[in-house]
Amino acid sequence: MTAWAGIVKGHQSSKQHAAQATLRWFVLGASAWLIAGMGTALVGDGLRFEHYVFLTQDAPVAAVLIAFLALLRWQTGKPGLPPAMRHWQICLIIAAIMAIAWTGHYSIMSGYALSRDEALGRMTAAALAKGQLAMPVPPEWRAYADAMSPDFLNPMGGDRYWLPLYLPGSAAIEALVSKCADPALTQPLLLGFGLLMLWDVSRLLFPDRPDARAVVMLLAFSSSQLLFTAMTAYAMTAHFALNMVWLALFLRDRPATHAAALLVGFVALSLHKVQFHILFAGPILATLLWRRRWVLGAVYAGGYAFFLLVWMKVYPLLLIDRLDLDIAASAARGVSLSPRLASLQPLLYVTRFFAWNNALLLPLALIGARSIVHALRQDAQDRRTLLFMGLAGGCAVGLLLTVHQGLGWGYRYLHGYIGAFCLLAGLGWTRLYRSPASLRPIWLAVLVSVVIIAVQGVMIARFVAPYARIEAHAAAMPVDILLVDIRGGAFAQDIVRVSPGMVRRPILLDLSRLDEKQLNSLCRNYRIGLIDRADFRRAGMMADESRPDARHIARMRAHLNDIRCVKQTAASRSRDGASL
């Protein structure tokens, strides 16, 4: 008996050493990956935005995390006592994170929806709150609808409605919240709900390992991507939350919970674009075929096929019918499955995902994914192992499809997978320590994350503040129309937007979307102001001279000078002192 115990102990020790060797190899691989990413960012024709954020935000943080992993010393044997996180502690931490996310929307994000995606989401939410499927364009402004909100609009709306390319699920959730609370509470509430569901799933998957459950939750709690994205209006927090709800229901494996999971899947498909939930749920549902659950697999397949039909075909037809729109060949353009594979940039965006999460998330998840292969050799029908295989498959697909995302805090296209990565990391922890162990390495990583989150918060605030200052100053200008010359400012085109719920003056118009006839009409009837690169510089916006329509804008500026149209400029004194 003693000899057999010694053999088992030695076998477990060898597996522990193998897992720790994987961590060391991860440091070498991550270092090479970071160097290769820096090479692609520094070598080439010009410095694009994604290169800029990689070099100024991601690479420095990734280097710190890699150094931490290289210096981290792992415990051996059975160190410490099994930790336990109680329900009330989890709820208290989640409540604190929700409060930080809500206050951060105003203190860090300046209460400003930075990106076009966020602005359109807020616009759609305001329309839905009024019982409208889309925000109507006032008849007197239909000739200028494109210049008032120029990007990411479905052409099916024409000049009568501002109809985003995106599906309405996330905006509908915000509309519901806005009926009884601050709309900015939507994402923090979703984050808290998603974290609660992640805790529930971890209890189902690690019933005898309180330390693994704690690892899962601590990695999620210390994710700067989860925290900062919940300060925005992006739909990605809803993807994280509903994916975790769906997984908790699927795992319970009862007819009622599978029916509920299908309903959650129907909503999850509508949040933004259908592919995000499909790529999460698809690999997990594929394990039903491996387990020969033919009937259940057919129910899910049929259900999701019907849901896709609803959101990709029936929903556009509903818009056409209710809004009396013209049928266009591109009517369903906004819900297509095009993955933009031409813009794959894994060296930059995998690094970004690594830098905006806990240092141990990816290496522990890698250990967990590797262990699945060995577990399948022992029992290819084990339900828990197959579930982890589905999670690993989804994470792998997400990492392979790291396409260009534009703005975002962390790599937001992987946002819905963060819970899956945390669960795989919990599995990896159980391979490092075959019995409950002290969380000293995890707590050290959390401490590092807290410091980095503080630094990243400052970086975000410095990036967002200039745009918020521009918006505040523009809103206080004593003019009717404010033309925006978008040359010279990074994402200056996103300044042009329509206030959620109604068109307010001054109305911002993108100068690149106007012609001489339109300018003549505006100048005859309204007081005209102008914002250009000089104002961007005073506000502190990052410069960007890569405008393909710069010549057209120059011609429009020359025409404005010829007709002596602009009576007020953004440099003028504003009514409430919000000058730049």
Side-chain angles (χ1 to χ4, degrees):
M1 185 68 178
T2 304
W4 173 250
I7 293 172
V8 172
K9 182 178 180 180
H11 180 63
Q12 291 180 349
S13 178
S14 65
K15 285 191 174 183
Q16 186 182 53
H17 287 310
Q20 293 181 0
T22 300
L23 289 171
R24 291 191 290 270
W25 279 109
F26 180 87
V27 170
L28 293 176
S31 301
W33 193 278
L34 178 60
I35 293 171
M38 294 179 68
T40 62
L42 293 172
V43 177
D45 184 17
L47 187 69
R48 298 195 301 271
F49 174 75
E50 58 267 29
H51 297 150
Y52 171 81
V53 295
F54 175 82
L55 294 172
T56 59
Q57 297 180 5
D58 305 335
V61 173
V64 170
L65 296 183
I66 291 171
F68 165 76
L69 292 175
L71 295 173
L72 184 63
R73 293 294 175 262
W74 291 89
Q75 306 155 113
T76 57
K78 296 182 179 179
L81 297 173
M85 297 186 75
R86 301 184 183 277
H87 300 312
W88 68 267
Q89 293 172 321
I90 292 293
C91 291
L92 188 63
I93 295 172
I94 290 175
I97 290 174
M98 290 167 59
I100 292 171
W102 185 38
T103 57
H105 172 72
Y106 296 100
S107 61
I108 295 176
M109 302 294 177
S110 301
Y112 182 69
L114 177 65
S115 70
R116 178 73 63 188
D117 283 7
E118 297 171 79
L120 289 177
R122 287 275 154 86
M123 178 197 295
T124 305
L128 291 173
K130 293 182 176 181
Q132 302 169 327
L133 289 175
M135 184 172 174
V137 181
E140 65 272 23
W141 293 108
R142 287 178 180 174
Y144 305 94
D146 185 51
M148 294 170 71
S149 186
D151 294 318
F152 305 139
L153 291 173
N154 195 321
M156 189 170 64
D159 61 355
R160 296 175 55 213
Y161 292 93
W162 284 298
L163 185 64
L165 284 171
Y166 310 122
L167 289 167
S170 179
I173 295 173
E174 182 171 314
L176 289 174
V177 173
S178 70
K179 291 290 188 179
C180 56
D182 180 2
L185 265 174
T186 306
Q187 310 308 321
L189 287 172
L190 287 168
L191 174 60
F193 191 43
L195 289 172
L196 277 175
M197 292 298 99
L198 178 61
W199 169 244
D200 183 62
V201 171
S202 70
R203 291 170 58 223
L204 294 173
L205 293 178
F206 304 105
D208 301 322
R209 291 297 300 268
D211 57 333
R213 298 198 296 269
V215 167
V216 170
M217 297 312 298
L218 288 173
L219 292 178
F221 290 156
S222 57
S223 167
S224 59
Q225 178 170 331
L226 282 178
L227 178 64
F228 290 124
T229 302
M231 299 178 188
T232 73
Y234 282 122
M236 297 306 164
T237 302
H239 278 292
F240 166 75
L242 292 195
N243 281 351
M244 291 300 97
V245 176
W246 183 92
L247 185 59
L249 292 168
F250 180 85
L251 278 173
R252 281 173 167 77
D253 199 17
R254 296 193 292 269
T257 60
H258 284 303
L262 279 167
L263 291 176
V264 171
F266 176 75
V267 178
L269 289 172
S270 75
L271 291 175
H272 178 60
K273 290 189 176 182
V274 295
Q275 56 261 44
F276 289 108
H277 178 67
I278 285 291
L279 293 175
F280 173 83
I284 297 173
L285 293 176
T287 64
L288 294 175
L289 302 180
W290 193 305
R291 295 166 56 199
R292 296 181 176 84
R293 301 284 301 274
W294 309 119
V295 174
L296 184 59
V299 169
Y300 271 104
Y304 271 87
F306 175 71
F307 299 159
L308 289 173
L309 180 66
V310 168
W311 290 119
M312 297 178 70
K313 297 300 178 184
V314 177
Y315 175 67
L317 291 175
L318 174 66
L319 293 175
I320 291 171
D321 179 64
R322 292 296 179 90
L323 301 179
D324 191 24
L325 303 176
D326 294 330
I327 298 177
S330 56
R333 172 183 158 195
V335 292
S336 69
L337 291 171
S338 58
R340 295 184 293 174
L341 294 179
S343 62
L344 276 172
Q345 294 177 317
L347 288 173
L348 301 185
Y349 288 124
V350 172
T351 304
R352 188 163 182 81
F353 184 71
F354 173 64
W356 289 77
N357 282 284
N358 189 291
L360 289 173
L361 178 65
L362 281 182
L364 284 178
L366 179 61
I367 293 174
R370 284 193 59 186
S371 70
I372 295 169
V373 178
H374 301 291
L376 283 173
R377 292 173 181 171
Q378 296 176 359
D379 186 357
Q381 294 299 319
D382 181 70
R383 177 172 174 265
R384 179 174 176 271
T385 300
L386 288 173
L387 186 279
F388 275 114
M389 185 178 72
L391 291 174
C395 291
V397 171
L399 287 170
L400 288 172
L401 297 178
T402 46
V403 297
H404 175 64
Q405 70 164 7
L407 291 169
W409 313 116
Y411 186 63
R412 57 188 170 93
Y413 289 167
L414 276 175
H415 207 78
Y417 297 95
I418 291 179
F421 276 104
C422 290
L423 293 167
L424 287 171
L427 180 65
W429 177 264
T430 65
R431 295 303 177 264
L432 276 174
Y433 301 104
R434 295 289 170 161
S435 59
S438 167
L439 298 180
R440 179 178 173 275
I442 303 297
W443 283 114
L444 289 174
V446 169
L447 180 61
V448 171
S449 290
V450 169
V451 175
I452 289 175
I453 286 172
V455 174
Q456 289 173 327
V458 173
M459 289 193 301
I460 293 172
R462 292 181 62 183
F463 189 92
V464 176
Y467 297 88
R469 285 195 290 266
I470 286 280
E471 182 193 50
H473 183 67
M477 287 294 297
V479 295
D480 301 313
I481 305 296
L482 200 52
L483 303 176
V484 182
D485 181 343
I486 61 177
R487 295 175 298 174
F491 297 100
Q493 68 275 11
D494 290 349
I495 295 171
V496 182
R497 58 185 62 184
V498 179
S499 300
M502 68 174 62
V503 175
R504 295 186 179 92
R505 297 190 183 186
I507 297 172
L508 274 65
L509 296 178
D510 186 339
L511 190 58
S512 69
R513 304 298 181 99
L514 298 172
D515 57 31
E516 293 181 358
K517 182 178 178 181
Q518 289 174 315
L519 289 178
N520 291 337
S521 176
L522 290 170
C523 289
R524 282 194 304 267
N525 298 296
Y526 302 100
R527 294 172 299 166
I528 307 297
L530 181 69
I531 289 178
D532 61 12
R533 72 177 72 219
D535 305 296
F536 302 155
R537 296 297 175 273
R538 281 194 293 272
M541 283 175 54
M542 185 175 63
D544 181 9
E545 300 293 343
S546 58
R547 293 300 312 180
D549 47 9
R551 290 184 178 180
H552 174 75
I553 299 174
R555 287 196 300 271
M556 295 305 99
R557 284 295 298 268
H559 183 69
L560 287 172
N561 292 333
D562 290 341
I563 63 177
R564 299 180 180 180
C565 176
V566 178
K567 301 295 189 288
Q568 302 283 343
T569 69
S572 302
R573 181 175 298 174
S574 63
R575 289 175 291 186
D576 66 350
S579 59
L580 299 175

